[in-house]
Amino acid sequence: MNRSRRQIVLLMTDSTRQDMVGCYGNPDMHTPNLDSLAERGIRYQNAYTCQPVCGPARSALFTGIYPHSNGSFTNCVPLGANVKTIGQRLTDAGLRTAYIGKWHLDGGDYFGLGTCPEGWDPDYWYDMRCYLEELTEEERLASRDSATSAKGISADFTFGHRCVNRALDFLHRHGTEDFFLTVSLDEPHDPGLCPEPYASMFADYEFPKAPNVWDTLEGKPQYQKCWAGKNRETDRDAVKIKAPRFLGCNAFADAELGRVLDCVRAYAPEAMVIYTSDHGDGLESHCLHSKGPVMYNEIARIPLLIAGPGVPQGVVDGHPVSHINLPAMILEYMGLPIPRCFEGKSLLQEVYDPEIRTNDYVITEFTRYEIDHDGFGGLQMMRAIYDGRYKLAVHLLDPVDEFYDMDADPWEMKNLIGDEAYDREKVRLHKLLLEWMNATRDPFRGYQWELRPWRKDVEAPTWSYTGYTRQRENEEYEPRQLDYATGLPMEEAVRRK
């Protein structure tokens, strides 16, 4: 690998599921720029978000710490005061960092507070509140109305276009420096505004129906049936998946990201480019819509493309990977040590050699969709694990958990949680999941996650559970924590109480 600069451009869209990007198998999606990026690098087939909700997904991606650990485990709850973003870490190491676009991690409403967080270049900070404050009251209303596209708008009216304009300015000015640039679009998230030809591009298009569109959730958790509502009662043969605004805006987002990619080639050709999305969308699979507390592929599996110096071209990587691998990878690529508090391994060696497998398994969690809203199911606590073949989802507040053999059932139709033939694999994954909850200091861990109806080998619960103390190690930014029993610096972060 020959490069003279340390440069990364991270591109994000919102709510883009894998099969909304053409290179993942549906060329009708009209995403030529992302498809071209895949040809120049690696496409990850089994990449998962840490939590399929906008804010928590970003919280893990930009801190290297799972949502339950960093504090932002639901929308509209800020990161913990002692949690540092990768922007802060890179800035403190002397690199230029800029974040342009949707943030959703400051504890404000959907649009944010309009204030640049510590560690990012304030000259380029531009969240959705900044965008709205540029508009008149009439324009603000139009920007939130899904019917606006049909009335005819220019690209310049959209949030995404204005974000990209700032990104182009950054690359023009700083393309010869070491930098980390994030461009985070809200598109194609509702209201899905976009100009022509994208606004009408999918007017008559029917999204292909996967077999799991016919899954009416028999043998699945009750909360999923509540989420699906009357969808379960519809004639699934007659269902037509039509989402012209969503898919049109998806194509528009690709065009906007294409502007960034063109500028990268012109001004920062040595940059590593990463593209991903925060989560997917149900689009009628399993009778569900939007996103929520599941590890179903349509919602929790996300597109992930990486290209740049030394990255093999046109490769498809099928190993399980996660957003939690990216912060460590970014720091390693920049030549910086990986903090002890990071909860994911670096993906970098697998990027250079896709035969390497970084993860034995990946985790997706869920606690709550939104703190402000009473809807969206309220509290739904899920911890789920996938090892490349088997997938286990444990739902603390529902008596029905889920287990799938993805080789035999790639569409996750048949819940095998009650099938004793899979007991060995279920227990194996369950033990790994419980160990992970303990190791990551999950504040919601406890014996309740172990006492599942299908586990017949667990010991009786005790008040002390594991009996361990697990303190935080974040010495890059704070003093070493003290042992309660001595008042002295702790010798071991993990120890018997």
Side-chain angles (χ1 to χ4, degrees), residues 262-309:
D262 287 344
C263 198
V264 169
R265 283 192 288 269
Y267 293 95
E270 294 182 346
M272 172 181 278
V273 179
I274 305 168
Y275 163 73
T276 193
S277 174
D278 52 355
H279 53 74
D281 189 287
L283 282 179
E284 294 287 351
S285 287
H286 309 285
C287 294
L288 302 177
H289 59 87
S290 192
K291 65 272 190 180
V294 294
M295 204 183 189
Y296 288 140
N297 279 349
E298 291 76 19
I299 292 172
R301 190 173 65 173
I302 40 85
L304 177 61
L305 310 174
I306 300 178

Side-chain angles (χ1 to χ4, degrees), residues 15 86 109 143-144 216 235 294 311 354 382 393 441:
S15 305
I86 53 176
D109 53 31
S143 76
R144 306 308 303 162
T216 51
D235 178 0
V294 294
V311 180
M382 179 197 80
R441 305 174 67 246

Side-chain angles (χ1 to χ4, degrees), residues 180-333:
F180 176 64
L181 169 65
T182 297
V183 186
S184 174
L185 307 189
D186 185 51
E187 291 85 356
H189 191 288
D190 182 75
L193 301 190
C194 59
E196 294 291 358
Y198 311 102
S200 58
M201 184 176 286
F202 292 88
D204 300 316
Y205 182 77
E206 289 186 28
F207 196 82
K209 290 169 67 174
N212 55 23
V213 171
W214 281 268
D215 176 17
T216 51
L217 301 173
E218 281 72 25
K220 306 289 185 79
Q222 180 62 44
Y223 83 86
Q224 293 182 17
K225 298 173 184 177
C226 293
W227 180 2
K230 293 186 178 180
N231 267 11
R232 300 178 63 230
E233 303 169 11
T234 60
D235 178 0
R236 304 307 289 173
D237 290 335
V239 168
K240 294 183 178 181
I241 307 173
K242 302 191 73 173
R245 288 187 294 104
F246 191 35
L247 300 180
C249 192
N250 182 60
F252 170 64
D254 175 85
E256 288 297 325
L257 295 181
R259 296 172 62 211
V260 181
L261 292 172
D262 287 344
C263 198
V264 169
R265 283 192 288 269
Y267 293 95
E270 294 182 346
M272 172 181 278
V273 179
I274 305 168
Y275 163 73
T276 193
S277 174
D278 52 355
H279 53 74
D281 189 287
L283 282 179
E284 294 287 351
S285 287
H286 309 285
C287 294
L288 302 177
H289 59 87
S290 192
K291 65 272 190 180
V294 294
M295 204 183 189
Y296 288 140
N297 279 349
E298 291 76 19
I299 292 172
R301 190 173 65 173
I302 40 85
L304 177 61
L305 310 174
I306 300 178
V311 180
Q313 297 188 11
V315 172
V316 177
D317 185 326
H319 299 320
V321 301
S322 167
H323 276 164
I324 204 67
N325 297 126
L326 297 184
M329 182 194 80
I330 290 167
L331 264 63
E332 183 179 2
Y333 188 82

Side-chain angles (χ1 to χ4, degrees), residues 1 49 64 75 83 88 107 116 127 147 179 291 330 351 383 419 426 445 464:
M1 178 188 64
T49 182
N75 280 342
V83 175
Q88 291 169 279
C116 182
D127 67 4
F179 68 78
K291 65 272 190 180
I330 290 167
V351 169
R383 302 291 184 265
D419 190 333
K426 284 183 287 186
R445 68 190 185 274
S464 62

